[in-house]
Amino acid sequence: MAYLKKIKMKKHGPLPGFGLSLGFTVFYISLLVLLPLSMIFINSFAAPWSKIWQTITEPRVVASYRLSIGASLVAAAINAVFGVLISWVLVRYRFPGRKIIDGLVDLPFALPTAIAGIALTTLYTEQGWIGQFLSFKVAFTPLGITLALTFIGLPFVVRTVQPVLQNVNKELEEASESLGATRVQTFIKVIFPELIPAILTGFALAFARALGEYGSVVFIAGNMPMKTEITPLLIMTKLEQYDYAGATAIAAVMLIFSFILLLILNLLQWWTNRKFA
């Protein structure tokens, strides 16, 4: 009887039937994700197509696309490199203050983004604690925007790579070393392939978070049109002017680009999983 019960639980699972579970999942995602996103496109098409095209191709708006997308990609790439390094140190080494550093990684999650922006601006202005010693400007430049986006995106990479690194089979590393491989060769040939899907996931999360960031960037950016004006700020400006169709049109462009890039990253992650399986 116990064996038959085990087979029955294995066949049907502890949750309700597939149809009911799938229906609830689709309903929940539609209510929280698909319905709000669909309203962006509905509001966008409320205006004539000529006006929408004029809004999304305006030079000021195109410059904001270039800045927001470029800075987000650079920040996510920086986090992909240093996030792996921080994860490696936290997982593979034991030292005084390790738990404190591990907790500080999550600080950008808990810290209000406006406070982070004010703090970074105070540090990196020409009279700031760090900015006064630099020979180049950081605040009110694209470099400052990238710095802010790097700050808020770091935890995504660390928390994605860290558990994967903890579960890497150390016996494979020992076997690699016993066969004469150096530490660098062991990392490249044995460990790094295991981390690639997690790194891509962390990169995608950090990029998506940076692309829509507003609070931590608006203070350090300077908001100069055609130079340091980000797309979320333009959307807020349109909303303050009661131009809801223009705001949603710009938001729709960013949404489409984000979806395409995340789809590419997911396909790349699927390909790497198959290749290194």
Side-chain angles (χ1 to χ4, degrees), residues 9 28 47 62 68 75 107 161 168 175 184 215 228 234 258-259:
M9 287 294 294
Y28 192 77
V62 173
S68 294
L107 189 60
V161 174
V168 171
V184 175
T228 60
L234 275 180
S258 301
F259 177 79

Side-chain angles (χ1 to χ4, degrees), residues 7 15 44 53-54 76 78 93 124 143 148 153 167 175 185 189 202 219 232-233 250 262-263 266 273:
I7 293 178
L15 295 177
S44 298
W53 181 255
Q54 182 181 1
I78 294 173
Y93 300 103
Y124 289 98
L143 179 60
N167 294 326
Q185 290 174 330
K189 298 292 185 180
F219 294 101
L233 177 63
I250 297 173
L262 292 177
L263 179 62
N266 284 331
N273 279 330

